[in-house]
Amino acid sequence: MTDLPIQKSGTGADSAPNEPVAGKAKPTAFLEVRDLKVHFPTDDGLVKSVDGLSFQLEKGKTLGIVGESGSGKSVTSLAIMGLHRAGQYGRSKARMSGEIWLEGRELISADPDEVRRLRGKDVAMIFQDPLSAMHPYFTVGAQIVEAYRVHHDVSKAVARKRAIEMLDRVGIPQPDKRVDDYPHQFSGGMRQRAMIAMALSNNPDLLIADEPTTALDVTVQAQILDLIRDLQKEFGSAVIIITHDLGVVAELADDILVMYGGRCVERGPADKVFYEPQHPYTWGLLGSMPRLDRERTERLNPVKGSPPSLINVPSGCAFHPRCPYAELTGGASTTVVPELSEVGSRHHAACHLSAADRERIWTEEIAPKL
Amino acid sequence: MTSPRSSRRRLAAGTAVVVVALLSTAACGGGGGGKSDGNAKAPGFNAAVNKVANASDKKGGTLKFIGTQDADSWDPQRGYYGFMWDFARYYTRQLVSFTPEPGLASTTLKPDLATGLAKVEDGGKTYTYTLKDGLKWEDGSPLTSKDVKYGIERIWAQDVISGGPIYLQQVLDPKGEYKGPYKDTSADKLGLKSIETPDDKTIVFRLPKPNSDFEQMLAMPSGSPVPAAKDTAAKYGLKPFSSGPYKFQSYTPNKSMVLVRNTNWSASTDDLRKALPDKITVTLTTNADDMDKRLINGDYDLDLNATGVGQAARAEVLGKNKANADNPDTGFIRYAVFPTTVKPMDNIHCRKAVILAADHKSLQTARGGPQAGGAIAPNMLPLGIKGADGKYDPYNVLKDTTGNVEEAKKELKACGQPDGFKTTIAVRNNKPIEIATAESLQESLKKVGITTELDEFDGAQTSGIIGAPKTVKSKGYGIIIMGWGADFPSGQGFLQPLVDSRFILESGNNNFAEIKDKAIDGLFDQALTQTDANAAAEVYKQINQKVSEGAYYLPFTFEKNIIWRSSRLTNVYTADAYNGRYDYASLGVQ
Amino acid sequence: MAACGGPGNPRAAAGPSTVLAYIIRRLFAVVVMLLVITLVTFGIFFLIPKWVGVDPATYFIGKQADPASLEGIRKKMGLDDPILVQFGKFLWGLVAGRDYANGTDVTHCSAPCFGYSFRNEQAIWPVLTDRLPVTMQLAAGACVIWVVVGVGTGVVSALKRGSALDRTLMTVALAGVSLPIYFTGMIALAVVVYGLGWIDGQYVPFGESASGWFGGMLLPWVTLAFLYAAMYARMTRATMLEIMGEDYIRTARAKGLREPVVIGKHAMRSTMTPVLTILGMDLGALVGGAILTETTFSLPGIGQAAVKAISDKDFPLILGVTLIAAVAVVVANLLVDLLYAVVDPRVRLS
């Protein structure tokens, strides 16, 4: 159904997250993030948005990063894009450390202009609210044409043809007409489709979707997720889906990474995280998942209490103030930062609870209520 | 208009470093002195006061006036501003006019269009003039006695030709029988009976009652001829038809004016106007401080309005540029007046108490000091008027310059107000200096227990507020701060509107004290019948004394001005006939 | 001007006929607005004096106000007519010209007749048309400077937010906003004209001398532009900061666009919209008279005429100046609205 030029196919390699490799050794994975830290100095103190995050991703695979707002998931994606400077803390210079390897290139220490050239071409991104993410004064077509021409030295006419193709590919009816529409003339779902068309126009190896469906109607959400899945198959890109909604990743992700307070609290293959979750926070998230037999009433704040301050992160386990089982740790949860440790095959969690306690609580208290 | 002196190159260089210049404000104030001076040297401070500075007969050049105020009208029958009367001599002539000599001598009348002063007959009721030969209008047509009559008749059309002085109308037609030339049904529009023109050279005025100042009135611009054929009625002031040495080349109100030589004017018929410059320009600006600076810089020759150098530039003018300044008397008196209809100012002793308690020195300071303000005035007749006596000082203000509290308290007791009283001082809200003097007066009156409240009224509504006796009474204005200058330099011109009971008007009144003294009124009648100016002066002296004795007025200062004279001005002198302004018609440039 | 509606309210649907209808509707509103302004101004200057007991005729006459002359003025002016008749005559004069007549004393005033100055008998319209070009030259020249300097400063300041440069620029801008024109104007005159004598600094018509004209206009331009540049710098900076935080700027960066393109194309496009809106209003208001600038530099423009007219109580001229100012503001408002529709597609087609 398409005459798109390049078809990339995913590699068959083991794409699950692994323990990070120490040092600056060149990794073999398509994308590898090692001990990423993104800190913003502000007047109130140092905001530790991301504080030691590591993961890997292979081509053709999808990673879901799940967490509440403020857990550091969006900052992580912006850091990969090299866009962390324009973050929510104004022009305060972000302090970054760690490594981000993309196809053998380290991005944090790379020349900003080199990273810029990767942006949009090798790594593309779609955002939560497609209305505000598109410039209101330029036509949809012009914005796609621009995205394409940054990385391809072609005439406007060629780029326009490409834009129409892409709009067609993402399911916009009458793309040759709608290409000249302005974003506000599109419906919400169409706008997100257009954003996807724009992001994919350069055949990126990595697509980062930051809450791609949050702003959309439920029915449209499913369509968009289907579209992303189809396109991933077709293009063979790696995909990172960032969401607070486990339901979204359940449909798409191969692997899931749960973030809390700027750190990873649990990660592993999707079915493991869904069926054998090892962290009380993941349990809370699962408890708030929509169920087919129940109207979804709340979307955010799946766990009681409010997200932690990123300036004064709670001591010990950052989750302990909200954790109903903190007292079972014998005080460790308030003093010792839990390490991410292997709890199953390619499955890691950072929790002081003993394996027995976790097993008992999951099977006796949590699972029956889901 | 003025052509820019700066070359293109300087301009370009200038723009490039404007920013630098703005930062280095240290450069401010440098470079006075004047660029157009050439090799001229200013003849010194007061060099042109009552004497001629830079006497010269050299013709040519452009005389450049600048001013912040345009004339109320350049129509000879409509202008009332003092500077307009001075300037109007460039393009108008009268039967008689003022002598082109410095100081008091200027107030003497000389024949202008006429061959001589009037032949006065019939006990001062008939004035006859004969016109000179060879008088011409700017188009070369002959100027006749009928033109003079027609010009004067225009005063009667007050609904069209409004704004100018109406003395001639009051004297020649006190009952108002004539309706003016525009409603005149006679073919030649010369229906006014009290003026006769038996032939083109002769004009006869028949006064119902004698008036010794009648010739003074004819000397005003309102006595100028206007040819009926060239009368554009209300619009005449935009381009008056010239009988003088210059004619209008262009005029845009509130903007600029250019006068050029009237080639049909013949110097042989006119020994009052020197007509030295080839061209006269007037630039009207809105920034008085800028104007002073440009005068000092030499961009212009003099201030058209001659209202005095502003506060901001005064130090600079009286400092290193003092040789370019003159400090003449303006003929104005600044004073406080006591409406006798308002209690307790109806009592002479209370009035005297105020005069005695006042601190004359600080009032003078509030007016601007001895130079910018003027000398302390001991009485109500300024020195430029015949009959004035600068030594007549009934309240000893020249001695007790800071006031005499003891004497004032005695007067208060005699008034029945031993502890003082309360009253209101009315002052114009648009005259900061008058407000300052009112505050000064308020201070010194406190010392004797007289407490006062200032009422700052709309200065533009003077005639309807303090000029309306009813309002004065209802508002309880016990003291009014005002100033006054004569329309023509005589006791009648100066004092009569202020003190004669017959001049009290319902609106536009100037006899604010509402003096109703039969003796004073009688003395005016006596003075008006005097054909001898010196004899009349004696009578005015008596009137002045009576006014002082009545304690109606507290004079502050005989006003003085600091006026700028560019170094290139020639033949420059102040004239009492023009309130201490330079006699414009005599000026030339080097 | 509330009834004109701020920019953003026109709801013109697509299609030439509806756009035309929209424009016609707006033009109609403008005409109504101008009529109301005319009536109000007319009322203020001709009727209120009467209500508070001042005969307007006395304003047109000099020291002597004898009853006969006042009667003549009233008759000529039509001051004794009923209010609506006076207003109607005034409106008719605007369209067709009129004669002021008192018996044989007739003054003709050709259309558009704003009356004539009783101060110096000039018809008001030629006075306005004589002075309008000066004010327009002032406004246009200053506008070019302040847009370039102000917007440039605002953008630089926003991009370098918090830096020493930003703080310096914003301090200067604060000074620019706070200092009165009379003050900055006199300083400029003192330094450039009186002090250094680089330029003459007096208005000369362009036709007389181009360099003289430039020398005369330079300081007024710079002084006026300083004030506005300061305002525009602050506004641009604030807008720019807001825009730079917009999602679509992040999108532009995510595309891999160079930063100059992100700022110059994406951010500036949005920043210029409010700037254009304000610019239209400011220019409209300035054409109505840059009173302080024209007074300080003695520029023979509308503002100077307004000051003179007020101090002279020359009501016909005040009325004329007010109407010109009102027309300028209303027309500017209309243009801004139409321009807004061109600039912002959301307004154009909704």
Side-chain angles (χ1 to χ4, degrees), chain B residues 182-519:
Chain B
Y182 307 122
K183 290 173 187 158
D184 195 327
T185 48
S186 57
D188 55 5
K189 306 288 179 201
L190 297 175
L192 179 63
K193 296 210 167 59
S194 46
I195 303 179
E196 292 161 17
T197 50
D199 59 58
D200 281 357
K201 290 256 176 253
T202 310
I203 186 161
V204 183
F205 297 88
R206 298 197 188 280
L207 283 59
K209 258 170 42 180
N211 190 315
S212 60
D213 280 334
F214 183 67
E215 285 204 280
Q216 295 276 5
M217 296 164 190
L218 286 175
M220 293 177 195
S222 53
S224 303
V226 170
K230 300 288 179 186
D231 184 10
T232 51
K235 288 184 196 283
Y236 189 69
L238 294 174
K239 194 169 187 184
F241 204 59
S242 174
S243 55
Y246 298 93
K247 61 182 176 184
F248 276 55
Q249 184 184 64
S250 67
Y251 168 50
T252 312
N254 292 321
K255 222 167 137 180
S256 62
M257 180 156 95
V258 178
L259 266 55
V260 293
R261 283 195 184 279
N262 169 12
T263 48
N264 280 305
W265 170 83
S266 157
S268 63
T269 66
D270 191 344
D271 43 15
L272 302 183
R273 294 166 185 77
K274 282 203 181 283
L276 298 179
D278 286 338
K279 193 171 168 186
I280 295 161
T281 64
V282 176
T283 303
L284 294 159
T285 167
T286 37
N287 185 338
D289 292 335
D290 181 52
M291 176 182 81
D292 288 341
K293 277 291 189 182
R294 291 188 184 283
L295 283 167
I296 294 169
N297 250 20
D299 291 345
Y300 297 95
D301 295 312
L302 72 165
D303 173 7
L304 172 73
N305 314 124
T307 41
V309 172
Q311 178 78 44
R314 210 169 281 160
E316 198 179 344
V317 169
L318 291 180
K320 59 178 188 259
N321 293 298
K322 203 170 177 180
N324 284 98
D326 286 311
N327 191 203
D329 281 295
T330 65
F332 267 70
I333 285 191
R334 300 291 169 178
Y335 58 81
V337 55
F338 315 123
T340 54
T341 53
V342 177
K343 281 186 194 315
M345 306 312 274
D346 55 333
N347 186 316
I348 185 169
H349 296 290
C350 275
R351 302 199 293 267
K352 280 185 176 169
V354 174
I355 296 173
L356 289 164
D359 181 339
H360 308 282
K361 187 85 195 160
S362 69
L363 286 167
Q364 181 192 34
T365 307
R367 283 297 319 170
Q371 281 181 326
I376 294 176
N379 61 62
M380 280 298 287
L381 205 51
L383 300 174
I385 286 168
K386 288 196 173 101
D389 180 359
K391 293 198 183 72
Y392 176 62
D393 184 11
Y395 297 95
N396 280 323
V397 299
L398 297 178
K399 202 161 76 99
D400 305 327
T401 51
T402 56
N404 188 334
V405 173
E406 264 170 49
E407 286 294 317
K409 282 187 174 160
K410 275 186 209 161
E411 292 294 344
L412 277 177
K413 219 171 275 170
C415 175
Q417 309 266 4
D419 300 326
F421 54 87
K422 277 185 79 164
T423 192
T424 304
I425 302 180
V427 60
R428 288 185 274 191
N429 66 353
N430 57 348
K431 306 269 176 182
I433 292 181
E434 292 191 355
I435 293 169
T437 45
E439 283 163 354
S440 160
L441 184 60
Q442 192 175 34
E443 270 312 300
S444 48
L445 293 185
K446 263 189 205 158
K447 288 186 286 191
V448 296
I450 302 173
T451 52
T452 52
E453 208 174 282
L454 292 197
D455 184 7
E456 297 180 19
F457 64 93
D458 182 358
Q461 296 291 324
T462 304
S463 66
I465 298 175
I466 58 168
K470 258 192 217 159
T471 312
V472 170
K473 194 162 184 206
S474 68
K475 294 217 172 195
Y477 291 152
I479 301 172
I480 294 170
I481 309 287
M482 272 303 278
W484 180 254
D487 282 349
F488 50 92
S490 81
Q492 178 188 198
F494 190 89
L495 271 182
Q496 197 171 18
L498 298 184
V499 302
D500 190 318
S501 72
R502 293 160 293 187
F503 278 65
I504 298 173
L505 302 170
E506 270 177 52
S507 160
N509 178 33
N510 284 308
N511 183 352
F512 301 116
E514 290 170 67
I515 301 169
K516 290 167 193 148
D517 185 337
K518 288 256 153 56

Side-chain angles (χ1 to χ4, degrees), chain A residues 49-50 66-74 259-263 281 310:
Chain A
S49 291
V50 179
V66 185
E68 297 167 308
S69 29
S71 62
K73 53 195 198 309
S74 287
M259 282 189 83
Y260 187 82
R263 301 172 71 99
Y281 179 62
L310 296 175

Side-chain angles (χ1 to χ4, degrees), chain A residues 12 78 94 103 123 127 131 165 175 177 188-189 193 212 258 288 295 299 308-310 329 340:
Chain A
L78 290 173
E103 283 192 307
V123 192
F127 298 97
L131 182 59
E165 278 169 18
K177 290 206 173 60
R193 284 168 192 269
V258 181
S288 70
E295 181 113 350
R299 305 197 316 164
S309 156
L310 296 175
T329 64
L340 205 58

Side-chain angles (χ1 to χ4, degrees), chain C residues 45-228:
Chain C
F45 295 126
F46 286 90
L47 305 176
I48 288 180
K50 212 165 189 172
W51 294 336
V52 299
V54 179
D55 184 348
T58 57
Y59 290 123
F60 305 124
I61 214 156
K63 285 191 182 178
Q64 293 79 19
D66 69 273
S69 315
L70 284 176
E71 189 49 46
I73 293 284
R74 275 190 218 113
K75 194 170 173 197
K76 189 168 173 184
M77 287 280 300
L79 291 172
D80 289 336
D81 290 337
I83 291 160
L84 281 176
V85 173
Q86 285 188 47
F87 185 60
K89 279 185 178 172
F90 179 78
L91 287 183
W92 182 247
L94 283 178
V95 181
R98 66 189 284 200
D99 286 324
Y100 290 94
N102 171 29
T104 52
D105 170 31
V106 178
T107 308
H108 179 68
C109 174
S110 44
C113 174
F114 284 75
Y116 66 97
S117 163
F118 287 84
R119 184 82 186 167
N120 50 38
E121 312 298 340
Q122 276 187 304
I124 300 298
W125 180 243
V127 175
L128 296 177
T129 49
D130 177 47
R131 287 172 172 271
L132 202 53
V134 178
T135 301
M136 284 177 144
Q137 287 158 18
L138 172 66
C143 170
V144 170
I145 301 176
W146 92 58
V147 167
V148 170
V149 174
V151 172
T153 305
V155 168
V156 168
S157 229
L159 296 180
K160 303 276 176 198
R161 183 166 76 157
S163 67
L165 179 66
D166 172 34
R167 281 197 291 270
T168 309
L169 289 175
M170 282 304 112
T171 307
V172 173
L174 183 65
V177 173
S178 325
L179 293 176
I181 290 235
Y182 190 77
F183 178 78
T184 46
M186 284 311 284
I187 294 268
L189 280 171
V191 175
V192 181
V193 177
Y194 318 142
L196 302 169
W198 285 332
I199 48 175
D200 185 55
Q202 295 186 86
Y203 177 77
V204 181
F206 186 81
E208 255 173 55
S209 154
S211 64
W213 171 80
F214 185 77
M217 295 303 286
L218 186 63
L219 288 185
W221 281 338
V222 170
T223 310
L224 185 60
F226 182 49
L227 170 72
Y228 279 91

Side-chain angles (χ1 to χ4, degrees), chain A residues 78 81 83 86 89-91 113 116-117 119-121 123-125 127-129 131-138 142-144 146-147 150-151 182 184-185 195 198 202 210, chain C residues 158-161 241 243-259 261 265-271 273-274 340 343-350:
Chain A
L78 290 173
M81 294 288 287
L83 290 177
Y89 300 104
R91 291 194 59 80
D113 201 51
R116 179 187 65 75
R117 280 194 291 267
R119 235 168 15 230
K121 182 162 182 284
V123 192
M125 192 159 175
F127 298 97
Q128 175 173 346
D129 181 355
L131 182 59
S132 64
M134 296 186 97
H135 201 299
Y137 295 171
F138 297 111
Q143 299 189 53
I144 298 175
E146 186 185 39
V150 183
H151 303 290
Y182 287 90
H184 69 271
Q185 291 167 283
M195 275 301 287
M198 184 157 77
N202 288 309
D210 186 354
Chain C
L159 296 180
K160 303 276 176 198
R161 183 166 76 157
L241 283 177
I243 300 288
M244 290 308 284
E246 290 283 349
D247 285 354
Y248 56 79
I249 296 300
R250 188 181 57 188
T251 306
R253 290 198 174 113
K255 287 177 184 176
L257 293 173
R258 286 169 209 279
E259 198 61 13
V261 180
K265 183 176 171 188
H266 291 249
M268 282 309 282
R269 178 75 195 266
S270 304
T271 305
T273 309
Y340 215 88
V343 172
D344 188 344
R346 288 172 299 186
V347 173
R348 198 183 323 158
L349 313 142
S350 42

